[in-house]
Amino acid sequence: MADRLPPPKFSLGRLSKTVAFWLIVILIPVVFVQLTSQRRGEAPEIAYTDFARELERSNIAAVEIVEGREVTGEFKGPVRIGTRDVVRFRVLLPALASDALVQRLSDQGVRISAKQPRAGLLGVLVQLFPWIVIIGFWIFLFRQMQQGGSRAFSFGKSKAKLLTGDTPKITFADVAGCDEAKVELQEIIEFLKDPQKFTRLGGRLPKGALLVGPPGTGKTLLAKAVAGEAARPFFSMSGSDFVEMFVGVGASRVRDLFEQGKAHAPCIIFIDEIDAVGRHRGAGLGGGHDEREQTLNQLLVEMDGFESNEGVILLAATNRPDVLDPALLRPGRFDRQIVVDSPDVKGREGILRVHTKKIPLAPDVRLDKLSKGTPGMSGADLANLVNEAALLAARRNKMHVDHSDFEEAKDKVMLGVERRSLVISDTERRLVAYHEAGHAVVSLSIPGLDPLHKVTIVPRGRALGLTASLPEEDRHNYTKYWLEGQLAMSFGGRVAEELVFGADKITTGAGNDIERATALARRMVTQFGMSEKIGPIAVGDKEQEIFLGREFSQRREISEKTSETVDEEVKRIIDGAYERARKILSEQRVGLDRLAAALLEFETLEREEILQVVAGKTLPPREVLPPLPGLPAALARVEEKPAGRSVGVPSEAPSPA
């Protein structure tokens, strides 16, 4: 049984806001009822001529004179005023009540009284109610524009959150896969705990550290671990929280943030996604002078300006260091740039161990083997992988998460979700089978390529079939031989379609294959220097973003002749890869047919099964897994397929960078 959530903590501010809201809700109808009832009880106003006429008729029983100008009273008998008969009346005298009028009323036997009006509490509320509504509306509007400001006009106050002792602590034990980054940050923590250890030799406290790395590698998690390890005040804030719709708010919040930091020094200030305010100044056509630049200027001054902020360490994270302003990156502001890159095989194993601490694992689960099969995955991807495996095991009512759950979760994360309900004909299934078999046979025939992981004709994601390869080890450099083999494998699907069905029956399924192959061949010529005619020369204009302070007009760096030569070399490389794939599949036609037939029968084949099929061996009967609860045991396929689908995708091997 799951633990119940703890009751929310008592908050006086939240209680006061709730009470004020309900008071306003109750007060509005009460005042409305009072106003309507007061209006309902008031005597109708009549003209002075009607009053004088009825006075002559001796039809007035009693009057009350208010401040000598207003007279209210009662008639002895009903009087027709307009469309209704009235008994009570109210009249405004054209002049102050004179002694003659009072004498006339007295002679008629009218009962006379007088009073001085006093504004009661209700009257005051009635008079002030419109102003209260207007002021309350504007206060509400200002609070909505602030999105969480503590007070109605606190635009310039910092929104940084101070981590206290009751916050759940994350330590370096909860972080894996980035040992070098932890060492650098551990040194900063020791600086805060014992600064004299370093300053006695003339060192100074670092001003800041910038965490740089791709999304999902654990930059924010590292910052949380620093907060848990430092045992010092820790302020956290997002870069987007500085900028508001009002001018000067961002700079004011930066000043307030550092004032809070100096008051709690030594402390750490963490700004997540600092590229939101730290972008290159002068961005756009003709430069700029916007609110974001003012915020950045104030941040630069606070980090290393005329006044020093001793004891305040700024920790920031970004996945776009290329767009940051150079003045922000210099030593004295960010003394250290800590790279948090994608983990290697050892780092992935450590991350898996961290995320599987609270998950019951079956004896057949080997995290070292699993880490080797997840190249290129970040820490967030691995956390998602473990979570998906646990959910799959729970849906099948298992007591432990076994190896099959991790493999299925890995395929789901890396290749996409199976779409067995997709409408597809038998003819098209046969075409997809030969397409993916072409990729697989070419891959097996070229030594040195990444080993095949899986071939399937079950639609996954946006593809009707997949041929996935996984490297046995992390690759950081790619040889020319490997790239040429990768190109040949990319064209394996198209060549198989052409050999089996004819040149006039090729499909759009190779569109993505051709696109990726063309891009890779062009990079081989223009960036990697793998063309004899071009040589080791970087060819092409630099791709610069003009809205990041770059130049709008760029000088052309290559001639028309060189451009034509590049196109010729790209076509030569692609034609060579196409002919290489054609030669392999022509020689391995028997293996191609066997593999396509096996795919039509089993739909999905692992590496060992692919090798057996190509070698001419018969596959043993496959164990059928029970369907997931809540899903049909088998999903029927219909004989028609919606238009607009592309058939096949290339191998999932990583593209060289």
Side-chain angles (χ1 to χ4, degrees):
M1 183 176 176
D3 296 335
R4 296 184 177 178
L5 294 175
K9 296 182 179 180
F10 175 77
S11 175
L12 184 60
R14 185 166 60 246
L15 178 62
S16 61
K17 292 180 182 178
T18 305
V19 172
F21 172 76
W22 285 109
L23 283 177
I24 294 174
V25 170
I26 296 172
L27 185 60
I28 291 176
V30 168
V31 173
F32 179 76
V33 171
Q34 291 289 341
L35 288 174
T36 55
S37 63
Q38 186 178 358
R39 289 289 183 183
R40 197 182 301 114
E42 287 182 352
E45 185 175 357
I46 65 175
Y48 180 76
T49 54
D50 296 333
F51 169 74
R53 185 181 67 249
E54 297 302 322
L55 181 59
E56 290 291 337
R57 295 177 180 178
S58 300
N59 193 28
I60 297 178
V63 296
E64 184 179 58
I65 303 174
V66 183
E67 291 187 333
R69 293 298 300 268
E70 184 179 357
V71 178
T72 61
E74 297 179 1
F75 294 118
K76 293 180 180 179
V79 177
R80 190 77 173 179
I81 303 296
T83 58
R84 60 176 179 164
D85 296 332
V86 299
V87 177
R88 301 181 72 249
F89 67 90
R90 181 170 60 90
V91 62
L92 188 64
L93 302 177
L96 292 176
S98 60
D99 295 339
L101 177 61
V102 175
Q103 186 63 40
R104 254 181 97 184
L105 292 170
S106 180
D107 294 341
Q108 294 286 344
V110 178
R111 183 168 53 86
I112 303 171
S113 60
K115 76 173 184 176
Q116 186 75 22
R118 284 186 181 178
L121 180 59
L122 182 60
V124 174
L125 289 177
V126 170
Q127 295 178 4
L128 295 179
F129 180 74
W131 297 102
I132 294 174
V133 171
I134 294 173
I135 295 173
F137 173 75
W138 281 107
I139 291 176
F140 172 77
L141 186 63
F142 284 151
R143 294 181 70 90
Q144 289 298 313
M145 287 187 294
Q146 289 187 100
Q147 289 294 322
S150 58
R151 295 185 296 273
F153 298 97
S154 62
F155 301 107
K157 298 297 182 181
S158 171
K159 294 184 178 181
K161 300 177 181 176
L162 177 60
L163 273 66
T164 57
D166 57 351
T167 307
K169 292 183 62 175
I170 296 177
T171 63
F172 281 154
D174 302 317
V175 182
C178 46
D179 296 336
E180 292 82 3
K182 289 198 295 186
V183 171
E184 294 289 328
L185 293 173
Q186 183 66 44
E187 194 170 305
I188 294 178
I189 295 172
E190 292 181 5
F191 249 116
L192 291 173
K193 292 182 177 180
D194 187 14
Q196 296 181 356
K197 176 182 177 182
F198 300 90
T199 56
R200 65 184 179 88
L201 297 178
R204 61 174 179 83
L205 197 70
K207 292 291 186 65
L210 181 64
L211 300 175
V212 179
T217 53
K219 299 182 295 294
T220 306
L221 183 64
L222 270 172
K224 293 179 180 179
V226 171
E229 294 279 351
R232 295 300 306 168
F234 189 92
F235 296 89
S236 66
M237 191 172 179
S238 174
S240 59
D241 290 337
F242 288 105
V243 183
E244 288 277 1
M245 64 180 292
F246 303 103
V247 178
V249 172
S252 177
R253 287 180 176 173
V254 171
R255 287 192 295 270
D256 184 70
L257 175 62
F258 278 86
E259 287 176 2
Q260 295 183 38
K262 285 186 283 186
H264 294 81
C267 69
I268 299 176
I269 296 176
F270 174 63
I271 302 177
D272 200 6
E273 306 295 344
I274 196 173
D275 52 279
V277 294
R279 287 181 178 267
H280 200 293
R281 287 171 292 181
L285 306 181
H289 191 71
D290 56 3
E291 170 67 9
R292 182 185 53 77
E293 289 192 7
Q294 296 302 312
T295 306
L296 174 59
N297 291 336
Q298 187 63 42
L299 181 62
L300 296 176
V301 171
E302 293 291 344
M303 291 184 68
D304 189 21
F306 195 76
E307 295 183 1
S308 63
N309 293 317
E310 295 293 337
V312 179
I313 296 178
L314 184 63
L315 194 64
T318 181
N319 52 22
R320 293 294 307 276
D322 56 310
V323 305
L324 295 180
D325 195 275
L328 189 64
L329 299 176
R330 72 163 177 83
R333 292 197 172 105
F334 283 118
D335 298 292
R336 297 180 180 180
Q337 293 191 25
I338 303 173
V339 178
V340 187
D341 210 345
S342 297
D344 55 9
V345 60
K346 185 179 179 182
R348 292 194 298 272
E349 182 179 352
I351 294 173
L352 289 172
R353 294 193 183 280
V354 169
H355 291 294
T356 55
K357 283 182 179 178
K358 300 181 180 179
I359 295 179
L361 301 178
D364 63 341
V365 176
R366 291 184 55 187
L367 297 181
D368 56 342
K369 183 179 179 181
L370 186 62
S371 63
K372 294 179 180 179
T374 52
M377 279 194 174
S378 63
D381 296 329
L382 295 172
N384 186 38
L385 170 66
V386 174
N387 184 61
E388 289 288 345
L391 294 178
L392 286 171
R395 292 175 68 181
R396 293 194 170 99
N397 297 321
K398 296 181 179 179
M399 300 302 296
H400 298 84
V401 183
D402 55 25
H403 179 72
S404 62
D405 297 321
F406 279 104
E407 287 295 325
E408 188 174 349
K410 183 174 69 174
D411 293 341
K412 183 178 180 180
V413 172
M414 299 180 66
L415 307 180
V417 182
E418 290 186 351
R419 297 187 298 158
R420 292 187 174 274
S421 61
L422 183 65
V423 178
I424 185 172
S425 64
D426 291 338
T427 303
E428 200 159 22
R429 287 185 72 242
R430 185 167 178 266
L431 193 148
V432 175
Y434 271 100
H435 185 104
E436 301 305 328
H439 285 305
V441 171
V442 173
S443 177
L444 292 175
S445 303
I446 299 177
L449 291 184
D450 296 334
L452 280 175
H453 170 62
K454 179 176 293 189
V455 180
T456 180
I457 61 172
V458 178
R460 284 181 175 270
R462 300 177 61 184
L464 295 184
L466 283 170
T467 301
S469 299
L470 290 178
E472 293 180 341
E473 57 186 15
D474 295 330
R475 289 184 180 273
H476 304 287
N477 289 307
Y478 300 87
T479 63
K480 182 180 180 181
Y481 178 82
W482 188 93
L483 295 176
E484 291 176 344
Q486 191 70 21
L487 289 175
M489 179 186 174
S490 299
F491 290 114
R494 165 59 63 88
V495 172
E497 293 179 10
E498 185 178 346
L499 288 176
V500 177
F501 302 97
D504 57 339
K505 294 292 183 67
I506 58 176
T507 67
T508 60
N512 188 254
D513 299 336
I514 297 172
E515 181 181 351
R516 293 180 62 182
T518 304
L520 179 57
R522 185 168 293 278
R523 295 182 69 185
M524 290 174 63
V525 176
T526 60
Q527 297 181 24
F528 304 151
M530 296 182 178
S531 169
E532 295 181 358
K533 288 187 177 181
I534 300 297
I537 301 175
V539 181
D541 298 333
K542 294 182 179 180
E543 297 180 359
Q544 297 183 342
E545 303 181 50
I546 61 174
F547 289 100
L548 297 177
R550 310 296 192 254
E551 297 292 334
F552 179 64
S553 61
Q554 297 179 355
R555 175 175 60 88
R556 187 170 181 83
E557 297 181 353
I558 60 173
S559 63
E560 293 292 340
K561 183 179 180 180
T562 304
S563 181
E564 292 179 359
T565 306
V566 168
D567 293 339
E568 293 174 356
E569 285 295 287
V570 170
K571 190 174 188 308
R572 180 186 65 81
I573 293 174
I574 288 178
D575 289 343
Y578 196 91
E579 292 300 322
R580 186 180 183 183
R582 179 189 293 274
K583 181 180 179 181
I584 292 174
L585 292 180
S586 299
E587 297 174 353
Q588 302 285 338
R589 177 61 188 272
V590 177
L592 177 66
D593 294 334
R594 291 173 179 171
L595 188 56
L599 286 173
L600 290 172
E601 181 179 357
F602 298 100
E603 293 188 332
T604 301
L605 297 176
E606 304 288 342
R607 173 176 173 82
E608 293 77 10
E609 296 173 332
I610 297 172
L611 295 175
Q612 292 181 17
V613 170
V614 174
K617 299 179 181 180
T618 304
L619 294 179
R622 183 175 297 180
E623 180 183 359
V624 181
L625 294 175
L628 294 174
L631 296 178
L635 298 175
R637 298 185 184 273
V638 192
E639 292 299 317
E640 297 180 357
K641 170 185 172 292
R645 301 280 184 180
S646 64
V647 181
V649 297
S651 169
E652 294 294 319
S655 62

